[in-house]
Amino acid sequence: MTIDEPFATGQAAQGSNDLEQPLPLSQALLLPRLVIENTTPVIEGGLYAAKAIVGQAVTVSSKVFADGHDKLAVILRWRPVRSESWHVVTMTDRGNDLWDAQFSVQEVGRFLFSIEAWIDRFASYCYELEKKFAAAVPVSLELQEGRLLLLQSAERSEGIGQQQLQRLHDGLPGMAIEDQVATLLKAETAMLMAQADHRAYLSRSHEFPLEVERERAQFASWYELFPRSITDDPARHGTFNDVHKRLPMIRDMGFDVLYFPPIHPIGRSFRKGPNNALQAGPDDPGSPYAIGSDEGGHEAIHPQLGSREDFRRLVAAAADHGLEIALDFAIQCSQDHPWLKEHPGWFSWRPDGTIRYAENPPKKYQDIVNVDFYAADAIPSLWLALRDIILCWVAEGVKIYRVDNPHTKPLPFWQWLIEDVRSHHPDVIFLAEAFTKPAMMARLGKIGYSQSYTYFTWRNTKAELQTYFSELNQPPWAYCYRPNFFVNTPDINPFFLHDSGRAGFLIRAALATMGSGLWGMYSGFELCESAPIPGKEEYLDSEKYEIRPRDFSAPGNIIAEIAQLNRIRRQNPALQTHLGIEFYNVWNDNILYFGKRTADRGNFILVAISLDPHAAQEAHFELPLWELGLDDHAATHGEDLMSGHRWTWYGKTQWMRIEPWHLPFGIWRIEKAL
Amino acid sequence: MTIDEPFATGQAAQGSNDLEQPLPLSQALLLPRLVIENTTPVIEGGLYAAKAIVGQAVTVSSKVFADGHDKLAVILRWRPVRSESWHVVTMTDRGNDLWDAQFSVQEVGRFLFSIEAWIDRFASYCYELEKKFAAAVPVSLELQEGRLLLLQSAERSEGIGQQQLQRLHDGLPGMAIEDQVATLLKAETAMLMAQADHRAYLSRSHEFPLEVERERAQFASWYELFPRSITDDPARHGTFNDVHKRLPMIRDMGFDVLYFPPIHPIGRSFRKGPNNALQAGPDDPGSPYAIGSDEGGHEAIHPQLGSREDFRRLVAAAADHGLEIALDFAIQCSQDHPWLKEHPGWFSWRPDGTIRYAENPPKKYQDIVNVDFYAADAIPSLWLALRDIILCWVAEGVKIYRVDNPHTKPLPFWQWLIEDVRSHHPDVIFLAEAFTKPAMMARLGKIGYSQSYTYFTWRNTKAELQTYFSELNQPPWAYCYRPNFFVNTPDINPFFLHDSGRAGFLIRAALATMGSGLWGMYSGFELCESAPIPGKEEYLDSEKYEIRPRDFSAPGNIIAEIAQLNRIRRQNPALQTHLGIEFYNVWNDNILYFGKRTADRGNFILVAISLDPHAAQEAHFELPLWELGLDDHAATHGEDLMSGHRWTWYGKTQWMRIEPWHLPFGIWRIEKAL
């Protein structure tokens, strides 16, 4: 009697694609009757993959509805792209047409998911039968219709299902009316009928991609150092072998990623001297970002750091300490890079035959030249050569790349490179070092970057931090962008730290470690180094241009606190992501106060950070008892995760005092008092 | 040297459509280098048309960006679907990668628009040249490059443009350096170069549809009446001819749409009596929603209302009074509808051979049967027959339809019907009478409904009203859903009005008339009728089931106030849409206070409505001086649009007192004091 064929999938089925003509009736009849819309997590209609982590639940939700009052059945299907067979999860109606379901996957790689929905005829029938019977309306005609539905389903079925449905159908006439109703309404019947359902008006969503990465894409603590500075004497260039002795201390601070700026040969032409001086002295080491000399390019190792064998041993030793090496991928060349001679067609040349170097008029960066991705001679050889640089280091065991200035290279290049590398090595992680406008920051995440640098260092006030942390928890950011909160970098010596003293470093460390699953620290931070070039957000005597030995046991350091913060992160799953943050009431604009909790509330952490490094701050605040299903007078257990101190709170409104000369923040685990 | 061919348009070009394979390099090279995203107004990626009004500016915005620091050129193109030639508007950079442009069209119908963007090589060149020259950097090499750019452009050009570029090129070497720079940077040169631009890395957005309707789709005041009640005697059935004498009074109240519930023959079987009684007496007129008898169906006129000729004369007379007749399109049949015999295959039948009537178990609506849109015998004959009902009444001059319960009929049916009707009669307006969950409400707007009933009658508190009005100003609602605020309907006698007295009616009239460009009133509201069925949101002695003559000059009516509200709407463009609302501070939770203003601020209306019909309310409030570019101490002129009283306000903070026994609201026009 009715059209019950599944409706075609895909966008064309959702509406007229020919925008110039009114929808023809023949096409209208093929349009899906049910609407599946607003599916999450989806990036740009499914053009790019949403992000997920292996072993962690992905919640998929959709608005699903149809005309009229029929009951709907909605399922989520998912599969790895490498497999043809779908897993199926029944979706749950959460009200207001919102349906959701969860699944988690046990391997990294690309997955697909989609939603299917249809009119559940038997459920609709049962709903009406139950209401009528309860209201003592005569149902003999309804029972006749029920038998017909059983019969039709039996006819569509095979094997045991068919026999059971037929038996149900045949048994009904002999029963009393109330028994017939009970038989039709029982769960077993519903299950048999669901198996035999012909899925009337079946609608399908698009298939949406999901990129599943390993845990370190979302939860990691990065430590950045210049290997050449691991020396006791600025005149002696540190080496990979020197780094070995730093590993225990970095591990003990709780870091798990050890990141080096470029380790390749450094150009001699236009080499920069200390503090970015235009002229380098003969012994100045130069910026490692001026990559390439006659000793090699991006696949070579700067000879003063050691040999390839030394590098391999360092990678292995780091791994033994639970540390994974991350390398810098900076697509730029010194004027001595071998490519300038081997591949002049990869670069831009000026009418006088000179090469076009980097400029920000009137500033000139003659030590750096950039490749031209769309030069005729660069396609596809340059693209392949750049991809091969990554593959070369992957072969050395490096699976994490911090990419320098990706926003100044074409987006299609990155999309291709990341997909290509990850198709063979799905455990490779890319961190985008883009500091630019928000649209590009998000876009780099959408096209494949695992994680990203952020505006964190420029968010200082309570309003700024709440707005920023909240925004990163909202779409599209929540689905495409994992923020790595670096507290400092060789390029960024935050103004806030210039005169904040030790308390300021503790404030920023607490904000970063508690705010996101990903944070990073450039060495010197733990020693509260902050001497700037006056008036600038840059370090004086920047390590980018000189060798900077350090005394890592200098007094006043915050090594113990950093170690404890990282320990707290490892022990509390709620802190292993930037997602799931909620801000609560505290009546003091100098105190940022928020909660992080796992979806099941099994791990619930409260964080209060004073943003004032100088004076004590105190305030009343609210414990989020409602989140734990408790009333306003309930008792809860608190535990100070920095000190281990435990207590019981009574009621919702509490009071705190934060003394920055002691510790400018509090981190408390809260749980129901039983 | 570089790829400068335009990149392919459409979704495929934006990313890999094959989600199962990593992006191949060959395809990556064809992806657009520039990103055009977040274009507005766009509904569901362009699957459905955004809404616009003839003669009113449409603002189109996009995020447009590329890698690197090149200058971009961005244009908006638009055209009616009936024409091949595009209009072009240059888009303006508003910062943070946001570009926008405006256009307006002078005819109703379907339009398309799209965005194009490319790297503006000459603008990038000029930017650098200017900065370098200003910083006294030697530019002789840059001048050489400039000449080369001129030459290349000349070679790409024809006619006068070529000659002018060639002349510019040839003239440069003879000039002083500063004159060469000035020549290259002058506006004329930029214009010539823009004309010759080969649009490097041209990217195109999709083409997005825009449905342009006449003004009444967005700005109209509806008056609803039952023609049969236009009589002095409940025993005498009113007629179309009787309605003539009501026209001047309805016009004088400022309405411009006169809407009738169904005017078709009413079924006799299972006819309902007064107050929805299951048994009708022999003289009971029945519900006009039980459509169809042996006197005809949806294309016929109920004989007691008059003849087709009478109807035509009424349509014409209404037009003479500035009133447009709107009819009700209710797709449902009484059991006496001719279709039951002529087209039994359009309906659902039960196993005992009886027809399936409407039910909401355990309630039965035996006077109503519904068609089955997807019954085998209904495709396509039923769909065409329903469309032809609309065309039949369009032929009688009716161009506005209030559609009864559209959410219980298939969405593809509506999409087809509306597109089909509007393709021949683009001035036809459809109002969706859907009261259901939000997703469906929005969807009906997306697929083509011009305007929609709303949750307005159930929004009473300040928080509810602010939230709801604001939501309707946000995407997706702002682009797809025009709210028609009915203050009452034959089905809805709002609880708020049951004991609010006259002041309550004034409050709701002010909220509706000031809140949206579209509002509606069902007769009796102006007389402050509110007698309910006790405890229910329904009228006692509902006009749906009986003839209800009224004395429209009864004391205590609010006719003068309604007339003034409608007059204020006509005189102030800011009030002719629900868009452009902004809530301002007033320190009293019983007072709703907002502004409506045209984009240029030329018309700026402030509205303060007390939500308390019983007691006086007073409060300090803020004049939004910042919106007028004024400081906090500025003087402004105010005019009370209800009374005509004028004054000068000094400063931002003012005080108001609202006495509901006088008038429960104030409407003020504000302007800068010169």
Side-chain angles (χ1 to χ4, degrees):
Chain A
M1 275 287 278
T2 56
I3 294 186
D4 278 346
E5 286 307 299
F7 290 90
T9 185
Q11 179 132 332
Q14 297 269 342
S16 168
N17 256 359
D18 181 356
L19 300 171
E20 314 218 2
Q21 299 299 327
L23 178 67
L25 180 50
S26 57
Q27 201 182 324
L29 289 166
L30 296 174
L31 289 182
R33 182 169 180 179
L34 282 72
V35 176
I36 303 171
E37 65 174 25
N38 286 6
T39 302
T40 64
V42 169
I43 311 277
E44 308 228 344
L47 213 50
Y48 305 109
K51 295 190 189 304
I53 294 294
V54 72
Q56 296 187 6
V58 178
T59 299
V60 173
S61 73
S62 282
K63 287 270 186 178
V64 184
F65 55 96
D67 57 284
H69 306 290
D70 284 318
K71 301 288 160 194
L72 307 183
V74 187
I75 59 169
L76 164 69
R77 306 184 320 149
W78 64 272
R79 66 174 174 88
V81 294
R82 286 171 222 272
S83 156
E84 285 301 306
S85 75
W86 292 93
H87 301 256
V88 172
V89 190
T90 301
M91 296 186 80
T92 304
D93 184 358
R94 300 294 180 189
N96 246 350
D97 299 323
L98 187 70
W99 295 71
D100 70 17
Q102 289 197 329
F103 70 103
S104 65
V105 306
Q106 302 309 323
E107 48 170 332
V108 295
R110 174 71 54 108
F111 288 72
L112 297 176
F113 68 90
S114 72
I115 316 297
E116 292 192 355
W118 59 90
I119 290 180
D120 189 334
R121 288 200 180 287
F122 190 66
S124 306
Y125 165 82
C126 289
Y127 174 80
E128 296 213 347
L129 176 64
E130 189 168 14
K131 286 192 92 171
K132 287 178 184 174
F133 186 69
V137 173
V139 292
S140 63
L141 195 52
E142 282 71 16
L143 292 175
Q144 212 177 323
E145 287 169 334
R147 288 189 65 215
L148 199 59
L149 289 172
L150 291 181
L151 190 64
Q152 287 165 348
S153 292
E155 282 165 0
R156 271 194 305 267
S157 310
E158 291 174 345
I160 294 176
Q162 186 192 22
Q163 292 163 26
Q164 288 173 309
L165 285 167
Q166 188 71 49
R167 206 174 306 134
L168 270 176
H169 168 267
D170 298 345
L172 283 177
M175 297 181 188
I177 285 191
E178 57 268 30
D179 294 336
Q180 290 190 49
V181 171
T183 302
L184 283 159
L185 295 181
K186 71 182 177 186
E188 240 178 288
T189 310
M191 209 171 66
L192 281 170
M193 287 296 282
Q195 282 160 5
D197 197 350
H198 63 317
R199 305 192 169 186
Y201 305 100
L202 177 64
S203 280
R204 293 197 180 105
S205 75
H206 292 274
E207 293 177 5
F208 300 110
L210 190 74
E211 191 72 21
V212 178
E213 295 183 78
R214 60 191 171 109
E215 193 188 21
R216 240 164 225 177
Q218 179 166 289
F219 172 47
S221 305
W222 287 51
Y223 188 88
E224 174 175 4
L225 65 78
F226 286 69
R228 68 189 185 188
S229 286
I230 310 303
T231 170
D232 299 329
D233 177 359
R236 192 185 68 77
H237 196 286
T239 67
F240 291 142
N241 290 336
D242 290 314
V243 175
H244 286 256
K245 62 175 176 292
R246 279 285 290 145
L247 297 178
M249 201 169 170
I250 295 168
R251 173 200 60 199
D252 291 347
M253 272 193 286
F255 291 96
D256 47 21
V257 175
L258 178 57
Y259 150 54
F260 300 151
I263 57 171
H264 316 299
I266 297 172
R268 283 245 151 239
S269 309
F270 307 99
R271 178 178 283 192
K272 296 289 175 69
N275 287 305
N276 205 12
L278 283 179
Q279 299 291 335
D283 297 326
D284 287 332
S287 164
Y289 289 92
I291 296 171
S293 73
D294 50 18
E295 289 148 330
H298 286 75
E299 299 188 5
I301 289 174
H302 188 56
Q304 288 181 280
L305 287 171
S307 67
R308 187 162 295 262
E309 190 48 47
D310 292 339
F311 181 72
R312 285 177 193 150
R313 282 193 298 109
L314 179 56
V315 170
D320 290 342
H321 287 78
L323 285 163
E324 190 170 341
I325 301 286
L327 286 187
D328 207 312
F329 186 44
I331 304 182
Q332 53 196 25
C333 300
S334 87
Q335 294 212 30
D336 304 324
H337 196 290
W339 282 353
L340 272 75
K341 284 184 191 137
E342 292 165 15
H343 303 285
W346 292 358
F347 299 88
S348 273
W349 301 87
R350 308 194 67 180
D352 66 347
T354 60
I355 195 160
R356 187 179 302 281
Y357 48 79
E359 292 185 89
N360 181 12
K363 289 192 202 165
K364 301 176 176 192
Y365 304 100
Q366 281 157 297
D367 57 332
I368 300 287
V369 299
N370 286 309
V371 294
D372 179 355
F373 285 84
Y374 288 100
D377 290 349
I379 294 175
S381 55
L382 169 65
W383 294 42
L384 292 168
L386 290 168
R387 190 267 324 262
D388 290 345
I389 291 168
I390 298 289
L391 294 181
C392 154
W393 294 106
V394 168
E396 298 295 353
V398 177
K399 301 294 186 76
I400 305 185
Y401 295 87
R402 177 269 197 193
V403 177
D404 191 72
N405 278 331
H407 59 293
T408 60
K409 285 87 189 173
L411 289 159
F413 167 73
W414 291 124
Q415 188 180 346
W416 164 76
L417 179 135
I418 294 172
E419 289 193 27
D420 189 272
V421 171
R422 287 179 50 82
S423 71
H424 298 102
H425 307 282
D427 52 347
V428 173
I429 289 171
F430 292 92
L431 164 63
E433 188 249 4
F435 293 111
T436 182
K437 287 175 276 185
M440 176 60 92
M441 303 282 276
R443 193 78 178 187
L444 290 163
K446 292 175 187 174
I447 63 166
Y449 275 92
S450 314
Q451 48 181 261
S452 308
Y453 280 69
T454 70
Y455 303 143
F456 172 72
T457 45
W458 300 284
R459 297 293 178 272
N460 293 302
T461 67
K462 179 171 176 169
E464 287 167 355
L465 287 160
Q466 285 198 185
T467 302
Y468 191 52
F469 287 11
S470 298
E471 182 175 288
L472 297 178
N473 267 258
Q474 296 303 316
W477 299 96
Y479 305 141
C480 70
Y481 183 91
R482 298 195 191 99
N484 195 329
F485 288 164
F486 267 76
V487 289
N488 67 330
T489 78
D491 291 315
I492 307 172
N493 176 3
F495 284 123
F496 176 82
L497 297 176
H498 294 187
D499 63 357
S500 72
R502 187 175 183 275
F505 285 79
L506 288 170
I507 288 169
R508 298 302 299 182
L511 287 169
T513 53
M514 299 295 108
S516 179
L518 297 165
W519 83 293
M521 197 184 93
Y522 154 58
S523 53
F525 185 91
E526 69 269 52
L527 304 177
C528 305
E529 286 181 3
S530 69
I533 294 177
K536 293 198 170 186
E537 212 169 24
E538 292 171 34
Y539 285 104
L540 187 66
D541 304 328
S542 167
E543 201 169 354
K544 281 172 70 177
Y545 310 105
E546 58 192 277
I547 291 169
R548 291 273 313 258
R550 290 186 176 87
D551 172 8
F552 286 101
S553 56
N557 71 61
I558 57 168
I559 290 172
E561 288 85 351
I562 288 169
Q564 184 62 13
L565 287 168
N566 275 332
R567 196 172 302 124
I568 292 170
R569 285 155 55 83
R570 274 200 310 279
Q571 291 169 348
N572 291 281
L575 299 173
Q576 295 169 8
T577 168
H578 64 292
L579 300 173
I581 201 166
E582 197 73 49
F583 292 93
Y584 302 121
N585 279 330
V586 59
W587 286 273
N588 182 329
D589 282 348
N590 287 307
I591 298 176
L592 187 77
Y593 169 53
F594 57 88
K596 299 276 285 277
R597 62 271 198 285
T598 51
D600 65 359
R601 307 286 192 275
N603 184 232
F604 204 132
I605 307 298
L606 296 173
V607 180
I609 303 174
S610 169
L611 303 174
D612 178 353
H614 305 295
Q617 294 289 337
E618 41 188 56
H620 282 94
F621 67 103
E622 286 184 342
L623 293 177
L625 300 181
W626 60 93
E627 303 255 27
L628 295 163
L630 300 176
D631 69 39
D632 286 2
H633 305 288
T636 46
H637 289 317
E639 177 183 359
D640 182 321
L641 298 181
M642 290 298 288
S643 71
H645 180 61
R646 291 165 190 255
W647 62 85
T648 302
W649 273 305
Y650 296 95
K652 187 171 75 170
T653 304
Q654 302 291 338
W655 184 82
M656 70 170 87
R657 175 178 167 85
I658 299 183
E659 297 174 342
W661 48 86
H662 171 226
L663 194 66
F665 57 85
I667 303 170
W668 313 311
R669 198 165 54 78
I670 182 172
E671 60 185 10
K672 232 181 267 204
L674 294 178
Chain B
M1 273 288 277
T2 57
I3 293 187
D4 279 347
E5 286 307 299
F7 290 90
T9 185
Q11 177 130 333
Q14 296 272 340
S16 166
N17 257 0
D18 180 356
L19 300 171
E20 314 218 2
Q21 299 298 327
L23 178 67
L25 180 50
S26 58
Q27 199 182 325
L29 288 166
L30 296 174
L31 289 182
R33 182 170 181 178
L34 282 73
V35 177
I36 303 172
E37 65 174 25
N38 287 5
T39 301
T40 65
V42 168
I43 312 275
E44 307 228 345
L47 212 50
Y48 305 109
K51 295 189 189 307
I53 294 293
V54 69
Q56 297 186 5
V58 178
T59 299
V60 173
S61 74
S62 282
K63 287 270 186 177
V64 183
F65 54 97
D67 57 284
H69 306 289
D70 285 318
K71 300 290 162 195
L72 307 184
V74 187
I75 59 168
L76 164 69
R77 306 186 317 151
W78 64 272
R79 67 174 173 90
V81 294
R82 289 172 220 273
S83 156
E84 285 302 305
S85 75
W86 292 93
H87 301 255
V88 172
V89 190
T90 301
M91 295 185 80
T92 305
D93 184 357
R94 301 294 180 191
N96 246 351
D97 299 324
L98 186 70
W99 295 70
D100 70 17
Q102 289 197 327
F103 71 102
S104 64
V105 305
Q106 302 309 322
E107 47 168 333
V108 294
R110 174 70 56 107
F111 288 73
L112 296 175
F113 68 90
S114 73
I115 315 296
E116 292 192 354
W118 59 90
I119 291 180
D120 189 334
R121 289 198 179 289
F122 190 66
S124 305
Y125 164 81
C126 289
Y127 173 81
E128 296 213 349
L129 176 64
E130 189 168 13
K131 285 192 94 172
K132 286 178 184 173
F133 186 69
V137 173
V139 291
S140 63
L141 196 50
E142 282 71 15
L143 292 174
Q144 210 176 325
E145 288 170 332
R147 286 189 66 218
L148 200 57
L149 288 172
L150 291 180
L151 190 64
Q152 287 166 348
S153 292
E155 282 165 1
R156 273 196 303 270
S157 309
E158 291 176 346
I160 294 177
Q162 186 191 22
Q163 291 164 27
Q164 290 173 310
L165 285 167
Q166 188 70 49
R167 205 174 308 133
L168 270 176
H169 168 267
D170 297 346
L172 283 176
M175 298 181 187
I177 284 192
E178 57 269 30
D179 294 336
Q180 290 189 50
V181 171
T183 301
L184 283 159
L185 294 181
K186 70 182 176 187
E188 240 178 288
T189 310
M191 208 170 65
L192 281 170
M193 287 297 280
Q195 281 160 6
D197 196 350
H198 64 317
R199 305 191 169 186
Y201 305 100
L202 176 63
S203 281
R204 292 198 180 104
S205 76
H206 292 274
E207 293 177 4
F208 300 109
L210 191 73
E211 191 71 20
V212 179
E213 296 183 78
R214 58 191 172 111
E215 194 189 21
R216 240 166 225 174
Q218 180 166 290
F219 173 48
S221 306
W222 288 51
Y223 187 86
E224 174 175 2
L225 65 79
F226 287 69
R228 69 187 184 188
S229 286
I230 310 303
T231 171
D232 298 330
D233 176 1
R236 192 185 68 75
H237 196 286
T239 67
F240 290 143
N241 289 338
D242 289 315
V243 175
H244 285 257
K245 62 176 177 291
R246 282 284 290 146
L247 297 177
M249 204 170 168
I250 296 167
R251 174 201 59 200
D252 290 348
M253 272 192 289
F255 291 96
D256 46 22
V257 175
L258 177 58
Y259 150 53
F260 299 149
I263 58 170
H264 316 300
I266 297 171
R268 283 246 151 235
S269 308
F270 306 98
R271 178 179 284 191
K272 296 288 177 70
N275 286 305
N276 206 12
L278 285 178
Q279 299 292 335
D283 297 326
D284 287 333
S287 164
Y289 289 91
I291 295 171
S293 73
D294 49 18
E295 288 148 330
H298 286 76
E299 298 188 5
I301 289 174
H302 187 55
Q304 287 180 282
L305 287 172
S307 66
R308 188 163 293 264
E309 189 47 46
D310 291 341
F311 180 72
R312 285 178 192 151
R313 282 195 298 111
L314 180 56
V315 170
D320 289 343
H321 287 78
L323 286 163
E324 191 171 340
I325 300 286
L327 286 187
D328 206 312
F329 186 43
I331 303 182
Q332 53 197 28
C333 300
S334 87
Q335 295 212 26
D336 304 323
H337 197 290
W339 282 354
L340 271 77
K341 284 184 190 138
E342 292 166 15
H343 303 286
W346 291 359
F347 299 88
S348 275
W349 301 86
R350 309 193 66 180
D352 66 347
T354 60
I355 195 160
R356 189 179 301 279
Y357 48 78
E359 292 185 89
N360 181 12
K363 287 191 204 164
K364 302 175 174 192
Y365 305 99
Q366 282 156 298
D367 57 332
I368 301 284
V369 298
N370 287 308
V371 295
D372 180 355
F373 285 84
Y374 288 100
D377 291 349
I379 294 173
S381 55
L382 169 65
W383 294 43
L384 292 168
L386 290 168
R387 190 267 323 263
D388 290 345
I389 291 169
I390 299 288
L391 295 181
C392 154
W393 293 106
V394 168
E396 297 294 354
V398 177
K399 300 293 188 73
I400 306 186
Y401 295 88
R402 177 267 196 196
V403 177
D404 191 72
N405 278 329
H407 58 294
T408 60
K409 285 88 191 173
L411 289 159
F413 166 73
W414 292 123
Q415 189 180 344
W416 164 74
L417 179 136
I418 294 171
E419 289 194 25
D420 189 272
V421 170
R422 287 179 49 82
S423 72
H424 299 102
H425 306 283
D427 51 349
V428 173
I429 290 171
F430 292 92
L431 163 63
E433 187 251 6
F435 293 111
T436 184
K437 288 175 276 184
M440 175 60 91
M441 303 281 276
R443 194 77 179 191
L444 290 163
K446 291 174 187 174
I447 63 166
Y449 275 91
S450 313
Q451 48 180 262
S452 309
Y453 280 67
T454 70
Y455 304 142
F456 172 69
T457 46
W458 300 284
R459 298 292 179 271
N460 293 303
T461 66
K462 179 171 176 168
E464 287 168 354
L465 287 159
Q466 284 197 184
T467 302
Y468 192 51
F469 288 10
S470 298
E471 182 175 288
L472 296 177
N473 268 258
Q474 297 302 316
W477 300 95
Y479 305 141
C480 70
Y481 182 91
R482 298 194 191 101
N484 194 328
F485 287 164
F486 267 76
V487 288
N488 67 330
T489 78
D491 291 315
I492 307 172
N493 176 4
F495 284 122
F496 177 79
L497 297 177
H498 293 188
D499 64 355
S500 73
R502 188 175 181 275
F505 285 78
L506 289 169
I507 288 168
R508 298 302 299 183
L511 288 169
T513 52
M514 299 296 107
S516 179
L518 298 165
W519 82 294
M521 195 184 95
Y522 153 57
S523 53
F525 185 92
E526 70 268 51
L527 305 177
C528 305
E529 286 180 6
S530 69
I533 293 177
K536 294 199 165 184
E537 211 170 25
E538 293 171 33
Y539 285 104
L540 187 66
D541 305 327
S542 167
E543 202 169 354
K544 281 171 72 179
Y545 310 105
E546 57 192 279
I547 290 169
R548 292 270 315 254
R550 288 185 176 88
D551 172 8
F552 285 102
S553 56
N557 71 63
I558 57 168
I559 290 172
E561 288 85 351
I562 289 169
Q564 184 62 14
L565 287 167
N566 274 332
R567 194 172 302 123
I568 293 170
R569 285 155 56 81
R570 274 199 311 279
Q571 291 169 348
N572 290 281
L575 300 173
Q576 295 170 8
T577 168
H578 63 292
L579 300 173
I581 202 166
E582 198 73 51
F583 292 93
Y584 302 121
N585 280 331
V586 59
W587 285 272
N588 182 328
D589 282 348
N590 287 306
I591 298 175
L592 188 77
Y593 169 53
F594 57 88
K596 298 278 284 279
R597 61 273 197 284
T598 51
D600 65 358
R601 305 289 192 271
N603 184 231
F604 204 133
I605 307 298
L606 296 173
V607 180
I609 303 175
S610 169
L611 304 174
D612 179 354
H614 304 296
Q617 295 288 338
E618 42 188 57
H620 281 94
F621 67 102
E622 286 185 343
L623 292 177
L625 300 180
W626 60 92
E627 302 255 27
L628 294 162
L630 301 175
D631 70 39
D632 286 1
H633 305 288
T636 46
H637 289 316
E639 177 185 359
D640 182 322
L641 298 181
M642 290 299 286
S643 70
H645 181 61
R646 293 166 188 255
W647 62 84
T648 301
W649 272 306
Y650 295 95
K652 186 171 75 169
T653 304
Q654 302 291 338
W655 184 83
M656 70 170 87
R657 175 177 166 86
I658 298 183
E659 298 174 343
W661 48 86
H662 172 228
L663 194 66
F665 58 85
I667 303 169
W668 314 309
R669 200 165 55 77
I670 183 173
E671 60 184 12
K672 234 182 266 204
L674 294 178

